[in-house]
Amino acid sequence: MTIAQIVFLVISATTLVASILVVTSRKMVHAALWLVLSLGGVAVLFVLLQASFLAVVQVVIYIGAIAILIIFAVMLTRRMMYDTGSPINRYWWAGALAAVLLFAGLVVMLGQIPSITTQASALPIPEGELLSLLGTALVDVNGYMLPFEVASVLLLAALIGSLVVARPMERKTEEGDKR
Amino acid sequence: MHDQWTFIAFFLPVGFLAAAVAIIAGRLLGPRKPNPIKQSTYECGIETVGEAWVQFRIQYYIFALIFVIFDVEAVFLFPWAVAYNKLQLYMVLEGVLFILILAVGLFYAWRKGALEWS
Amino acid sequence: MIPLSWYLIVAAAMFCIGIYGVLARKNAVGILMGIELMLAAVILNLVAFWRYLTPARISGQAFAVIVFAVAASEAAVGLALIISIYRRRSTVVADEIDILKW
Amino acid sequence: MDFNFWDPFTWIGEWLLNLLVGWGLAETIALTLLRFAGAVVLALVLLLIGGVLFTWLDRKLSARIQDRLGPNRVGPFGLFQGIADTLKLLTKEDIIPAGADKIVFNLAPLLVTMSVVGIWAVVPFAPTLIGTDLNVGLLYIISVGSIGTLGIMMAGWASNNKFALLGAFRTVAQMVAYEVPMVVVLLVPTMFTGSMSVHAIVEGQSSLWYVALAPVAALIFLTTSIAELGRAPFDLLEAESELVAGFNTEYTGIKWGMFFASEFLHGLTISALTAAIFLGGWQGPGAEARPLLGFVYFMIKTMVVYFGVTLLRFSMPRVRIDQLLDLNWKFLTPLALAAVCVTAVAEKLALATNWSRLGVHIIANVGLLILTLGALWVRARMVRRRFETEQMRLAARSESAAD
């Protein structure tokens, strides 16, 4: 076993255990904290995959932003915190079954891909250049220009949509503002 | 690349553990005489009414929401900024367009009063 | 060194845990956390395939960045919906949110 | 390698490496060990400086500004006050309030400390002295900082105290809000350098500091950093008159000391980052060839910024939370977005037309400032007019009611 392998195994074991705790924790805040650990583990896996940009992005977006959002939402829907009842619904066994079957199916299918045991070759481009390549590709007409601009529209739609949905009904303050 | 990260792989845990050592030292050095009054929640001398975990105003969520969207936007723009010197003019303008589209969202939130605190 | 299959298995396991969370959780926020796990697994898969199969092309990373945007939008809108429902019905238990069933 | 007075860092590194290799270690293992040792030394020095030296310096500075003496009993000039305080905190009783979530409660100060210390891994002290030259340095700084935000949230939640939770909510709302213009404005130095590595950014300022090219961006960065730090005038989390003490209400002894020390270290951190990103870091006459000189330059710049921040802190009244959020969302965020757009266009213009780069950027920034001031003026007039009509209407209504 090489050091990289040991690191990988430790990190992925942590990630998976944390993921299981995410879906089984009784307290939602604990589930959110386990989610942070799990997603942090994925960030370390990105480092092992030599995608350091995605690793820091994972931490910034998932841990710094989405996890905070989830914790805020948990606090806002607080009544569940006292819920000492089961965190899972009546059909949890069906969910477990589906998850196990899907995992088995995925593993079997993965086994049939010829390139499954490929070892990583050295990165053909140095990492610093990779990032500027990514930047160029994102705004290139022949690259991902359309998805890039659509992403901004998607974010705009998400912002407006969630503001409309989440804002309280009474609109006294802005009426005064607009006058 | 991995060389760059090995330092961080050492550095973050060291920062964490150094703090942990200090806390454990504090645990060992300090006295421990717990009593119910000492351990009660600090509430300016007034008795606690209800649970601490009260509900919070929606405004906190709204700010977190706008933050998430703009954070993602900035992250999208970082590769663009790194590649800036290699970009042609229209590519730079695309990034500006990206910012402007998001600015519309900020403007909308402003007009709708979502940015007010009260 | 680490073969591709390890990453794929970890991603598959994470995805399935996420599915279990989505199907079995009572709390709607918990369901959303399951979805986040699934999306993270997808991104992991994309990055692993990029690194092992097409490291010279940037597509894998570009896809991953766009999935990040989708994940953030989904979390924002999903949580806003949950909060909105909670204020009307005072519940975040997904089974009790049945206003559409009339 | 001969001893070079001007570059002791490389010399020490080489010497240690040779020593370890001489003991029969493989070179990669020796390098890894050195990295580990470097990490330990850097972290401990930072914690010591942040916890002991800077608490003293800060109290001394604040005392001078407020015409007091400050700590002057323990040691010469009260220099050992920090050590005395640390010892006192260590021997205090460690109280965990009933009903607290013990693990999360203990984890929170560790995460906050880690997040502040962690930033220093990518700060270049001198041309040859840097923890690690990460090519995603700026985003790394942001990401480590966001772990601290999470730590504060955890501290507030785990305390099982309304004040703590309310304080944590406010602090986190403030921190995430100010993170937006900060992240956006960091795009500007990234654009100039074509890299996110802090080391490359400092090297890119060899001829011109970025504060000259992007004064607006530098100002926004410094302001948002102070707000992230939660120092006056943005110290709402310590607003004694409103909140008990913020998210750390329930913390005692050294755990409270951790929050305290990390705040002081964070003050130094933002000064160092401002110095590195906008004030040229270790750049200065003769610094390229003499790393030790670069180190001195960097320290001087950092201390100048730190002194400025402290002066600001003791001469400004605290803002209200609605003013704080208005300042962020309605002023800094649009301004940061505009600054990025203007800089992006101006830089291309300068490249395309062969005009002076400095001139183009100065004109662009001044134009931006004039536009901002104009917008502020228009808005102020609007608000005022609305207020006046409202007043008039109210007066008219009360008159008619009197009739």
Side-chain angles (χ1 to χ4, degrees):
Chain A
M1 277 231 202
T2 62
I3 293 175
Q5 281 179 332
I6 294 171
V7 171
F8 175 87
L9 288 179
V10 170
I11 296 296
S12 48
T14 319
T15 310
L16 290 182
V17 170
S19 317
I20 289 172
L21 288 166
V22 170
V23 295
T24 52
S25 285
R26 190 152 292 190
K27 279 188 179 172
M28 288 318 286
V29 173
H30 283 177
L33 295 177
W34 286 119
L35 183 71
V36 167
L37 184 60
S38 165
L39 297 172
V42 174
V44 181
L45 291 183
F46 286 162
V47 171
L48 289 178
L49 282 167
Q50 291 181 285
S52 35
F53 174 65
L54 293 178
V56 284
V57 166
Q58 169 94 4
V59 177
V60 170
I61 293 187
Y62 266 123
I63 297 180
I66 295 182
I68 296 279
L69 197 65
I70 287 178
I71 293 178
F72 273 32
V74 172
M75 301 276 176
L76 281 166
T77 56
R78 281 250 7 123
R79 216 160 290 175
M80 276 308 279
M81 198 69 83
Y82 312 118
D83 195 353
T84 45
S86 160
I88 47 182
N89 60 26
R90 275 174 294 158
Y91 306 111
W92 68 271
W93 52 269
L97 194 69
V100 169
L101 281 182
L102 182 66
F103 182 64
L106 277 174
V107 169
V108 170
M109 268 169 60
L110 287 176
Q112 289 164 355
I113 302 175
S115 56
I116 189 81
T117 51
T118 323
Q119 297 287 332
S121 48
L123 269 185
I125 328 155
E127 247 213 293
E129 310 234 335
L130 210 64
L131 201 53
S132 89
L133 266 184
L134 176 64
T136 319
L138 277 179
V139 285
D140 195 349
V141 187
N142 303 316
Y144 297 91
M145 174 185 149
L146 197 60
F148 180 73
E149 296 298 335
V150 168
S152 84
V153 177
L154 170 74
L155 290 172
L156 176 66
L159 179 61
I160 292 180
S162 39
L163 278 183
V164 168
V165 171
R167 291 220 64 217
M169 283 291 101
E170 76 276 329
R171 296 237 167 82
K172 264 182 278 166
T173 42
E174 317 108 67
E175 291 303 322
D177 234 292
K178 265 177 211 151
R179 211 179 296 125
Chain B
M1 201 290 308
H2 281 109
D3 294 343
Q4 290 178 355
W5 284 96
T6 38
F7 183 82
I8 290 182
F10 291 136
F11 193 62
L12 287 182
V14 164
F16 187 83
L17 287 178
V21 165
I23 284 179
I24 291 167
R27 257 264 152 93
L28 295 178
L29 288 174
R32 273 188 78 68
K33 298 188 202 94
N35 68 51
I37 305 231
K38 203 188 282 172
Q39 282 178 301
S40 61
T41 308
Y42 180 72
E43 298 270 4
C44 276
I46 305 162
E47 279 294 308
T48 314
V49 181
E51 280 274 347
W53 290 320
V54 286
Q55 277 194 37
F56 288 97
R57 50 201 306 173
I58 190 86
Q59 206 56 35
Y60 288 114
Y61 179 78
I62 304 248
F63 286 135
L65 188 89
I66 303 173
F67 156 70
V68 168
I69 300 293
F70 277 89
D71 220 28
V72 176
E73 179 224 350
V75 160
F76 256 76
L77 285 173
F78 265 102
W80 168 79
V82 168
Y84 181 82
N85 288 326
K86 294 175 195 153
L87 298 182
Q88 287 156 343
L89 188 61
Y90 83 93
M91 295 167 164
V92 171
L93 292 181
E94 265 175 57
V96 173
L97 178 65
F98 189 95
I99 294 178
L100 288 182
I101 292 177
L102 262 291
V104 170
L106 186 69
F107 187 67
Y108 174 85
W110 192 338
R111 285 307 306 224
K112 283 285 165 190
L115 303 180
E116 310 299 332
W117 175 250
S118 56
Chain C
M1 288 306 281
I2 309 160
L4 174 61
S5 54
W6 291 22
Y7 284 104
L8 297 187
I9 286 173
V10 169
M14 231 175 126
F15 190 82
C16 294
I17 294 170
I19 283 202
Y20 170 76
V22 171
L23 293 179
R25 271 283 193 188
K26 253 186 194 166
N27 189 323
V29 183
I31 292 175
L32 217 96
M33 289 187 206
I35 298 177
E36 291 302 330
L37 277 182
M38 288 162 71
L39 280 170
V42 168
I43 300 175
L44 182 57
N45 241 355
L46 281 174
V47 179
F49 275 124
W50 161 76
R51 179 69 188 83
Y52 282 80
L53 300 183
T54 57
R57 296 179 54 203
I58 207 67
S59 344
Q61 290 218 13
F63 283 1
V65 169
I66 288 163
V67 177
F68 273 123
V70 174
S73 313
E74 171 260 310
V77 178
L79 290 171
L81 279 173
I82 292 170
I83 287 176
S84 169
I85 289 170
Y86 175 78
R87 300 153 122 219
R88 279 151 204 263
R89 314 257 331 205
S90 287
T91 182
V92 282
V93 177
D95 291 347
E96 292 170 13
I97 302 169
D98 49 6
I99 11 181
L100 280 179
K101 254 187 358 192
W102 284 340
Chain D
M1 188 176 157
D2 294 331
F3 177 72
N4 175 359
F5 174 73
W6 291 111
D7 187 12
F9 317 115
T10 321
W11 184 77
I12 292 174
E14 300 256 325
W15 181 74
L16 280 173
L17 189 64
N18 284 334
L19 189 73
L20 286 175
V21 172
W23 287 351
L25 283 172
E27 186 153 356
T28 48
I29 298 178
L31 258 179
T32 313
L33 265 178
L34 270 189
R35 288 217 170 86
F36 178 68
V40 172
V41 169
L42 182 56
L44 291 184
V45 165
L46 284 172
L47 280 176
L48 224 61
I49 288 179
V52 177
L53 190 61
F54 266 76
T55 48
W56 171 79
L57 185 67
D58 195 81
R59 289 168 68 177
K60 211 70 181 164
L61 274 179
S62 66
R64 290 292 154 178
I65 292 167
Q66 295 166 344
D67 202 11
R68 293 184 286 120
L69 283 176
N72 62 353
R73 295 289 145 152
V74 198
F77 309 108
L79 245 172
F80 300 143
Q81 186 65 46
I83 297 170
D85 285 346
T86 313
L87 284 177
K88 186 196 79 173
L89 285 175
L90 273 173
T91 51
K92 285 249 172 181
E93 178 169 358
D94 175 31
I95 303 169
I96 298 177
D101 193 317
K102 282 204 181 60
I103 297 173
V104 181
F105 186 79
N106 285 320
L107 209 57
L110 303 185
L111 282 184
V112 171
T113 315
M114 184 183 91
S115 83
V116 177
V117 173
I119 291 175
W120 288 82
V122 294
V123 174
F125 294 95
T128 51
L129 186 66
I130 177 171
T132 176
D133 180 20
L134 213 58
N135 66 353
V136 285
L138 290 184
L139 270 183
Y140 168 82
I141 291 169
I142 304 282
S143 67
V144 173
S146 63
I147 295 175
T149 315
L150 194 74
I152 288 172
M153 195 77 233
M154 283 161 70
W157 178 78
S159 300
N160 187 23
N161 178 329
K162 282 189 187 105
F163 291 105
L165 190 51
L166 201 59
F169 259 81
R170 279 190 167 198
T171 311
V172 170
Q174 176 180 342
M175 285 175 86
V176 298
Y178 276 87
E179 204 171 307
V180 171
M182 188 166 162
V183 178
V184 169
V185 105
L186 282 179
L187 288 166
V188 171
T190 313
M191 255 188 294
F192 287 146
T193 318
S195 167
M196 277 192 266
S197 140
V198 187
H199 184 63
I201 286 174
V202 172
E203 275 187 336
Q205 302 178 67
S206 53
S207 56
L208 207 54
W209 296 355
Y210 288 161
V211 69
L213 289 179
V216 173
L219 266 181
I220 295 177
F221 180 78
L222 190 60
T223 317
T224 52
S225 307
I226 297 172
E228 289 257 306
L229 171 66
R231 280 275 174 92
F234 305 105
D235 61 340
L236 290 170
L237 59 141
E238 278 179 19
E240 308 91 292
S241 42
E242 299 167 46
L243 304 164
V244 178
F247 62 90
N248 53 8
T249 306
E250 292 288 353
Y251 282 88
T252 55
I254 194 71
K255 277 186 232 162
W256 175 82
M258 292 272 121
F259 287 121
F260 190 69
S262 26
E263 194 194 311
F264 277 100
L265 187 55
H266 202 171
L268 185 63
T269 310
I270 61 159
S271 319
L273 286 180
T274 312
I277 297 173
F278 288 104
L279 297 180
W282 43 258
Q283 296 279 6
E288 266 323 325
R290 299 183 181 79
L292 194 60
L293 207 58
F295 183 75
V296 173
Y297 288 145
F298 179 66
M299 283 299 146
I300 290 174
K301 287 172 189 173
T302 307
M303 289 321 296
V304 166
V305 179
Y306 186 84
F307 187 72
V309 170
T310 310
L311 206 58
L312 198 71
R313 176 180 171 204
F314 288 104
S315 45
M316 300 271 282
R318 182 185 305 136
V319 298
R320 284 201 318 264
I321 186 157
D322 60 323
Q323 294 169 333
L324 175 106
L325 293 164
D326 272 6
L327 174 69
N328 177 61
W329 292 117
K330 299 180 180 174
F331 183 70
L332 289 178
T333 308
L335 188 59
L337 292 173
V340 170
C341 293
V342 165
T343 312
V345 176
E347 178 84 355
K348 276 287 171 220
L349 196 70
L351 284 178
T353 54
N354 223 358
W355 292 338
S356 141
R357 191 177 172 209
L358 179 64
V360 171
H361 280 292
I362 291 283
I363 289 170
N365 271 288
V366 168
L368 187 62
L369 266 181
I370 289 172
L371 273 179
T372 315
L373 289 178
L376 278 180
W377 187 71
V378 168
R379 186 167 161 73
R381 276 185 74 99
M382 256 167 60
V383 171
R384 185 178 178 151
R385 190 162 301 155
R386 194 187 301 153
F387 180 74
E388 275 169 357
T389 39
E390 191 81 355
Q391 288 288 314
M392 254 146 74
R393 232 189 39 199
L394 280 179
R397 190 183 295 166
S398 63
E399 258 172 42
S400 61
D403 293 343

